[in-house]
């Protein structure tokens, strides 16, 4: 099992093109930890904003009667990928991992694989 800080370090070092990462509580929108980012990528603001994305998707799934669990959500921008992965472990209920990638330097399939691995090891 890995702590929030260890998990974020793992994402930033193991995922090629990682620009920033966060562990977020989507019931409050608060980031439990962030790493990376910068003046053009405020991870605290992004954490709060992506909480709304998850809430909207969960609400839509309920309205549609969909019963499957969300694995991840991908937002593709001109130069970046934004990956959101819900934490499914017992200690992670209500949390998500957020990873921002430089589109030109990253492999999306490998990033999703690494994000899943880190999510499975996260202990909060």
């Amino acid at each position: 099992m890995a702590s929030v800080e260890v998990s974020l370090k793992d994402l930033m070092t193991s995922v090629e093109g990682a620009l920033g990462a966060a562990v977020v509580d989507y019931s409050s929108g608060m980031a439990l930890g962030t790493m990376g980012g910068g003046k053009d990528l405020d991870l605290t603001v992004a954490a709060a904003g992506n909480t709304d994305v998850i809430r909207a998707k969960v609400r839509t799934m309920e309205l549609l009667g969909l019963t499957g669990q969300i694995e991840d959500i991908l937002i593709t921008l001109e130069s970046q990928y934004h990956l959101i992965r819900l934490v499914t472990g017992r200690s992670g209920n209500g949390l998500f991992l957020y990873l921002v990638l430089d589109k030109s330097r990253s492999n999306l399939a490998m990033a999703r694989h690494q994000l899943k691995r880190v999510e499975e090891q996260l202990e909060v």
Side-chain angles (χ1 to χ4, degrees):
M1 292 295 147
S3 69
V4 169
E5 183 178 349
V6 169
S7 296
L8 293 173
K9 283 181 183 176
D10 189 358
L11 284 172
M12 293 300 292
T13 57
S14 69
V15 179
E16 183 72 28
L19 300 174
V23 176
V24 184
D25 177 342
Y26 67 81
S27 61
S28 68
M30 298 290 295
L32 303 179
T34 63
M35 190 164 288
K39 70 177 181 86
D40 294 332
L41 178 60
D42 185 331
L43 291 170
T44 305
V45 172
N50 283 304
T51 295
D52 293 334
V53 171
I54 291 174
R55 289 178 186 157
K57 187 59 190 172
V58 168
R59 195 170 41 254
T60 302
M61 288 178 65
E62 288 171 357
L63 291 171
L64 293 172
L66 299 174
T67 57
Q69 287 190 340
I70 298 170
E71 288 184 6
D72 54 37
I73 297 170
L74 169 64
I75 300 167
T76 306
L77 304 178
E78 190 174 312
S79 64
Q80 296 174 344
Y81 292 124
H82 292 238
L83 276 168
I84 300 167
R85 182 166 185 93
L86 274 65
V87 178
T88 57
R90 168 173 68 89
S91 69
N93 194 22
L95 300 179
F96 68 90
L97 286 165
Y98 175 59
L99 179 64
V100 180
L101 304 168
D102 179 325
K103 198 172 179 180
S104 67
R105 296 184 311 128
S106 62
N107 178 319
L108 185 56
M110 287 303 296
R112 289 185 68 221
H113 175 75
Q114 294 290 15
L115 195 58
K116 180 181 180 189
R117 179 186 58 76
V118 168
E119 179 260 327
E120 290 170 345
Q121 296 174 356
L122 178 64
E123 182 73 36
V124 180

